[in-house]
Amino acid sequence: MSDLKKILVWMLLLPLLGYAQQVSERKSIEEQINKAGNYFNQGDYARALEMSKVALKRSYKINDDYCLAHAYNAIGVVYDEFSEAKYALSFYNKALEHALKIENDSLKDWIYSNLGSVYYFNKIDVKKGIDYYKKALVYAQKINDSTQITFGKLNLASAYISINDFKNGVAYLKDSESFVKRRGIPEMRFTFTSLSGIYNTHIEKPELALKLYDQAVAIAEKYKLESFLVNAYDNIAEHYKVYEQFDLEKQYRAKSKALRNELYSQEEKAMLNQSATQIQMDEYKIQLDRIELENEKQLQKLQESKTVLWLGLVLGLALLILVFTLYRTNRFRQKANADLLLANQELKAAKEKAEEASQLKTQFVSTITHELRTPLYGVVGITDMLADEHPELKDSSHLNSLKFSARYLLSLVNDILQLNKIEEKKINLEKVPFVLTDEIEIIRNSVQYIATNNNNELIINIDQNIPARLLGDKLRLSQIIMNLTSNALKFTRDGWVKVEAKLKDVRGSVYEIQFSVQDNGVGISPNDQSKIFDMFVQVGRSDEDYQGTGLGLAIVQKLVTLFGGHIHLESSLGKGTTFTFCIGFEKSEQEILVTPTQTSYSDLVHNKILIVEDNKINQLVTQKIMDKHHMQCDIVADGFEALKIVETRSYDVILMDINMPGMNGYETTKRLRAIGIKTPIIALTAFDKDEVKSEVYASGMNDIMIKPFEANQLFEVIQKQLIEVN
């Protein structure tokens, strides 16, 4: 549908014409049509169509051509919005038939413009659409309405440009420029900006074209012009297609399709077909009523005439034909309703099945990650215990391989869980203040060992124009840069890897920062570049390289998309690879408090710890951690034993497993709090933190530790809880 059509359809009431006895009814019908227009602009197409249908019936009753034209035009707009060209043309032509019977140039302007849009936007006959647009422009100039004239010129510009007639298209575009800049409403400014962008794509000015497209998107988003936004995404996709940037084209095609499906559901389209049939039935019924009325009049006039019988037979036959037609139409409607009901039931069943499958998938991922983390806690812990108890094994390749394998498996489990959370849209970006240079420095320290092992130089460049403190999700940003940097170091030897952050643009309070990670390593072949962001895909691996799952870049792409950005890849075999992406952050005015790193936990010695854990291996591991730091601890295997032991002994901290047989950690904690135990309780669990935190805190626990964990992390949480209690 035309970007301008909505503006041309639902106009204020025109001067009322007609007979004096019809003025009140006409005014009421006009108010009803304008109310339908308000529902249309709000996206409530079902109510807009229903109200327009009622207005059409009322218009037939008073036999008013103006109201009939206006009502048919309003109905046609709804079908045109859903690209139902066949029905839209039918209703617009009926509107024009009634409009040509009266003197109302504004109404003719609207209808001709709408007819042009159907032929143009549905690609039925663009040249015929241009002819209708020109007829509409003649009427707009006749009534000397500057707004309508500008809309007409923009419509013609759009149609000419669509068939690559840029000479005529640009001429109409320039004619409308002055009015758009002085008095243009948002829809008008959006159309002018979009067409300007298409023209600049054509004359090979891609940077200016993209800037204009971004302005058009901003207008649509600011004024909530969602159907306009669909056109904006299509224009951007076409732009990237011209410049053979097919990945970006694919992204914007997907965004356009998703928004279009959201705006125009299949259920609403089915409703339109049903309504079209109902309108036809109403028309037949109105015609039947008129024939019956005429029949009665004729019978009264000709009851003494010999021709009465013949006239009755003729009218009766016509009546029978109409009744039969009405009957067939009604049968067709009933069948259509039955088919629609069946289709809706099938859609509902498919939706429920898909939701059930999604829920089962989420439950499976949660369960399998929990079941893997629990034994991994034991493997990592026992490996540390062996290294402590047998110093001679500290440098054992077998022991180090065991610990590495456990941590590698844990990393894989975390990656799978993260991907599932992103796909289920369970990740919300946080807004916290952070210092970009500090986060990059932490990443540098974390990956320096990879750089050293591969004899690489790690270069960091941060634009000084970037604000010192930013506001955003630093954890997700660090994860993106960490994955890209470690990947670059892994596939580069005796070379360099450069991490850069540059200020690209400032829009209001948002600072657009362009990040890039570049290396001079092995590079990626053109055949592999199209699949590099797919899950479980690995390229460029050598025989001795056994690390990596192929999930890192998939996570990177999904996180960048979550930020509202796009990641771009440039690579050549033997020359290196560059990943580039842009993310916008607000400037933070808050001071960032730096908490000193805790390196000694000597003040925790001799604290009494109660461990509530049913897994024997995990009991052993946790107890050894406590013993190593000279803490006194008791171990119980379930919640019932925990309730019993606290009656005779007191503890400084309770470490509580969540998933236990008999009585889980939540219920145990609730009962401990109920009997007055105020000791800090820390949940130890292999579930993801986001899955359990609400229930953990609701049960009365004070903090959470996710297994497996480093001993220092546990001691830091214990010390924090002891400080808060004291």
Side-chain angles (χ1 to χ4, degrees):
M1 179 179 177
S2 169
D3 291 337
L4 304 174
K5 188 181 301 178
K6 297 176 187 176
I7 310 304
L8 299 175
V9 175
W10 310 108
M11 302 298 291
L12 295 175
L13 288 173
L14 296 173
L16 297 175
L17 302 174
Y19 299 104
Q21 63 270 28
Q22 295 181 322
V23 169
S24 177
E25 181 64 6
R26 288 188 63 187
K27 182 177 180 181
S28 176
I29 294 172
E30 279 294 283
E31 289 174 351
Q32 190 170 32
I33 295 174
N34 281 284
K35 192 172 182 180
N38 292 332
Y39 284 126
F40 179 91
N41 290 330
Q42 295 168 11
D44 192 346
Y45 304 114
R47 295 182 71 177
L49 181 58
E50 186 61 32
M51 192 159 287
S52 299
K53 285 164 53 180
V54 174
L56 179 65
K57 290 181 181 179
R58 295 175 65 190
S59 301
Y60 265 114
K61 286 184 178 180
I62 64 172
N63 197 25
D64 187 284
D65 286 313
Y66 171 78
C67 291
L68 286 167
H70 205 173
Y72 272 125
N73 188 56
I75 294 171
V77 168
V78 179
Y79 283 88
D80 202 1
E81 180 70 11
F82 283 80
S83 300
E84 295 286 343
K86 174 184 175 182
Y87 289 124
L89 284 173
S90 173
F91 292 122
Y92 286 151
N93 282 318
K94 289 178 180 179
L96 183 61
E97 178 183 349
H98 290 283
L100 292 175
K101 296 178 181 179
I102 59 175
E103 292 296 327
N104 192 305
D105 294 335
S106 294
L107 189 58
K108 295 170 186 175
D109 172 27
W110 304 342
I111 299 170
Y112 276 124
S113 180
N114 291 342
L115 283 166
S117 294
V118 176
Y119 282 102
Y120 159 40
F121 281 95
N122 291 282
K123 297 183 176 59
I124 300 172
D125 188 339
V126 177
K127 290 184 178 180
K128 190 170 184 178
I130 290 174
D131 291 339
Y132 277 120
Y133 279 150
K134 288 182 177 179
K135 289 181 179 180
L137 183 58
V138 169
Y139 283 106
Q141 291 170 335
K142 187 176 179 181
I143 60 178
N144 197 25
D145 187 329
S146 299
T147 300
Q148 298 296 88
I149 291 171
T150 304
F151 281 142
K153 291 178 179 178
L154 288 174
N155 273 332
L156 284 164
S158 179
Y160 275 119
I161 289 174
S162 76
I163 58 174
N164 294 321
D165 186 350
F166 285 92
K167 180 180 178 182
N168 282 314
V170 172
Y172 279 109
L173 193 63
K174 288 183 177 179
D175 283 350
S176 64
E177 182 176 5
S178 175
F179 185 88
V180 171
K181 290 184 176 180
R182 287 185 295 106
R183 297 170 56 190
I185 61 177
E187 293 85 351
M188 189 182 289
R189 289 190 285 111
F190 171 91
T191 303
F192 180 85
T193 306
S194 296
L195 293 175
S196 300
I198 295 171
Y199 175 66
N200 280 279
T201 297
H202 170 71
I203 63 175
E204 298 184 356
K205 290 186 177 181
E207 293 83 5
L208 180 55
L210 285 173
K211 184 176 180 181
L212 289 164
Y213 293 143
D214 286 343
Q215 291 175 5
V217 169
I219 293 170
E221 290 177 342
K222 179 178 181 181
Y223 295 98
K224 302 185 185 307
L225 306 175
E226 294 181 334
S227 62
F228 289 69
L229 195 56
V230 172
N231 292 330
Y233 291 152
D234 287 338
N235 291 338
I236 297 172
E238 285 297 320
H239 171 88
Y240 284 124
K241 180 180 178 181
V242 170
Y243 291 97
E244 299 182 354
Q245 292 177 278
F246 300 115
D247 286 346
L248 292 172
E249 179 198 2
K250 183 178 179 182
Q251 292 177 16
Y252 277 95
R253 294 287 186 209
K255 291 177 72 171
S256 172
K257 182 178 179 181
L259 183 55
R260 184 177 284 108
N261 290 338
E262 180 181 343
L263 292 176
Y264 312 119
S265 68
Q266 292 299 321
E267 290 85 354
E268 288 179 306
K269 287 187 176 181
M271 174 273 293
L272 293 179
N273 291 330
Q274 181 180 352
S275 293
T277 303
Q278 184 62 51
I279 292 172
Q280 291 176 340
M281 290 180 62
D282 290 341
E283 290 175 334
Y284 288 138
K285 188 175 184 305
I286 291 169
Q287 293 174 23
L288 180 59
D289 291 342
R290 288 182 174 179
I291 289 174
E292 289 178 343
L293 181 62
E294 184 66 23
N295 187 26
E296 290 176 1
K297 291 180 179 179
Q298 292 298 325
L299 286 174
Q300 290 176 357
K301 292 180 180 179
L302 301 177
Q303 58 185 195
E304 295 181 357
S305 173
K306 295 180 180 181
T307 60
V308 169
L309 179 61
W310 293 105
L311 182 59
L313 290 173
V314 171
L315 291 176
L317 180 61
L319 180 60
L320 286 174
I321 293 173
L322 284 173
V323 169
F324 178 71
T325 303
L326 184 61
Y327 170 76
R328 290 192 60 185
T329 302
N330 187 56
R331 288 292 300 273
F332 173 76
R333 181 180 63 82
Q334 290 176 347
K335 184 178 182 303
N337 286 342
D339 292 342
L340 180 60
L341 182 60
L342 180 60
N344 286 338
Q345 290 173 346
E346 291 174 350
L347 284 172
K348 184 178 180 181
K351 179 183 177 184
E352 291 174 351
K353 188 173 181 180
E355 290 174 348
E356 182 181 357
S358 177
Q359 186 175 0
L360 287 173
K361 173 191 168 188
T362 301
Q363 185 177 353
F364 171 77
V365 172
S366 174
T367 302
I368 201 68
T369 53
H370 173 270
E371 293 303 315
L372 286 172
R373 276 175 169 162
T374 298
L376 283 174
Y377 176 57
V379 173
V380 173
I382 292 174
T383 305
D384 290 336
M385 287 164 53
L386 288 172
D388 290 339
E389 295 176 2
H390 301 278
E392 70 276 9
L393 296 176
K394 215 159 201 177
D395 296 324
S396 167
S397 61
H398 299 302
L399 192 63
N400 289 333
S401 295
L402 176 62
K403 190 169 184 177
F404 168 80
S405 297
R407 294 192 180 279
Y408 173 73
L409 182 56
L410 177 63
S411 175
L412 172 60
V413 170
N414 290 336
D415 283 347
I416 292 174
L417 184 62
Q418 171 119 299
L419 276 172
N420 185 68
K421 289 171 67 177
I422 294 174
E423 290 176 354
E424 295 293 327
K425 297 181 180 179
K426 292 182 178 179
I427 291 183
N428 295 316
L429 295 178
E430 297 180 347
K431 277 197 174 185
V432 296
F434 68 95
V435 177
L436 181 61
T437 53
D438 290 350
E439 300 304 316
I440 299 293
E441 188 61 28
I442 292 172
I443 294 172
R444 180 208 288 269
N445 294 335
S446 299
V447 301
Q448 186 61 51
Y449 76 97
I450 307 178
T452 303
N453 288 343
N454 288 349
N455 194 28
N456 292 325
E457 179 185 4
L458 182 56
I459 305 167
I460 306 294
N461 287 332
I462 300 179
D463 191 344
Q464 297 299 314
N465 293 318
I466 297 175
R469 295 184 299 274
L470 299 172
L471 192 64
D473 195 324
K474 66 176 183 178
L475 178 62
R476 311 296 181 197
L477 175 63
S478 297
Q479 190 174 359
I480 294 170
I481 299 174
M482 172 75 83
N483 274 334
L484 292 175
T485 306
S486 60
N487 218 39
L489 289 167
K490 174 182 171 182
F491 290 100
T492 304
R493 295 183 185 275
D494 303 317
W496 51 264
V497 173
K498 185 186 295 182
V499 180
E500 289 189 323
K502 295 181 180 180
L503 182 63
K504 184 179 181 182
D505 195 9
V506 181
R507 297 180 180 178
S509 61
V510 177
Y511 290 76
E512 290 284 342
I513 302 175
Q514 178 175 289
F515 297 91
S516 64
V517 178
Q518 183 180 7
D519 66 66
N520 65 341
V522 296
I524 305 170
S525 70
N527 292 334
D528 291 329
Q529 290 181 20
S530 61
K531 59 186 179 182
I532 194 69
F533 293 107
D534 295 341
M535 290 188 292
F536 303 109
V537 170
Q538 299 160 316
V539 298
R541 296 183 63 165
S542 59
D543 293 338
E544 66 272 10
D545 172 27
Y546 59 89
Q547 301 182 38
T549 61
L551 293 176
L553 289 178
I555 292 174
V556 164
Q557 186 186 48
K558 290 180 183 296
L559 288 176
V560 170
T561 302
L562 196 62
F563 274 105
H566 304 282
I567 189 164
H568 178 66
L569 163 67
E570 292 182 2
S571 185
S572 299
L573 279 175
K575 295 182 180 180
T577 303
T578 302
F579 288 94
T580 307
F581 62 93
C582 279
I583 295 178
F585 294 99
E586 295 180 18
K587 181 179 179 181
S588 175
E589 302 297 339
Q590 303 178 38
E591 292 292 336
I592 300 175
L593 301 177
V594 180
T595 304
T597 302
Q598 181 69 38
T599 58
S600 174
Y601 298 99
S602 58
D603 54 341
L604 297 180
V605 173
H606 306 309
N607 276 284
K608 295 179 181 180
I609 309 295
L610 174 61
I611 302 171
V612 187
E613 168 70 66
D614 66 302
N615 187 287
K616 297 296 183 183
I617 296 176
N618 290 349
Q619 288 178 1
L620 177 62
V621 171
T622 308
Q623 184 177 22
K624 286 293 183 181
I625 293 173
M626 299 294 109
D627 291 345
K628 183 179 177 182
H629 291 79
H630 308 291
M631 296 186 192
Q632 303 175 34
C633 66
D634 291 328
I635 299 176
V636 294
D638 58 49
F640 296 105
E641 291 184 37
L643 290 170
K644 186 175 180 181
I645 199 170
V646 295
E647 293 178 357
T648 57
R649 302 181 191 180
S650 61
Y651 297 94
D652 298 298
V653 172
I654 298 175
L655 303 181
M656 179 74 68
D657 184 28
I658 289 179
N659 195 23
M660 296 184 295
M663 184 190 303
N664 62 31
Y666 303 129
E667 183 62 27
T668 303
T669 301
K670 291 177 182 178
R671 294 195 184 188
L672 287 171
R673 296 306 188 209
I675 63 175
I677 301 299
K678 298 184 178 180
T679 305
I681 301 176
I682 300 171
L684 299 185
T685 180
F687 283 111
D688 182 65
K689 186 174 182 178
D690 289 336
E691 292 182 23
V692 299
K693 65 181 181 181
S694 60
E695 197 166 358
V696 163
Y697 295 127
S699 69
M701 298 188 201
N702 302 87
D703 216 325
I704 309 172
M705 287 299 299
I706 305 301
K707 296 184 286 192
F709 49 77
E710 297 292 340
N712 285 348
Q713 294 175 330
L714 176 60
F715 296 141
E716 185 176 341
V717 173
I718 291 174
Q719 188 175 62
K720 173 188 171 186
Q721 293 301 325
L722 290 173
I723 291 173
E724 291 181 0
V725 170
N726 297 327

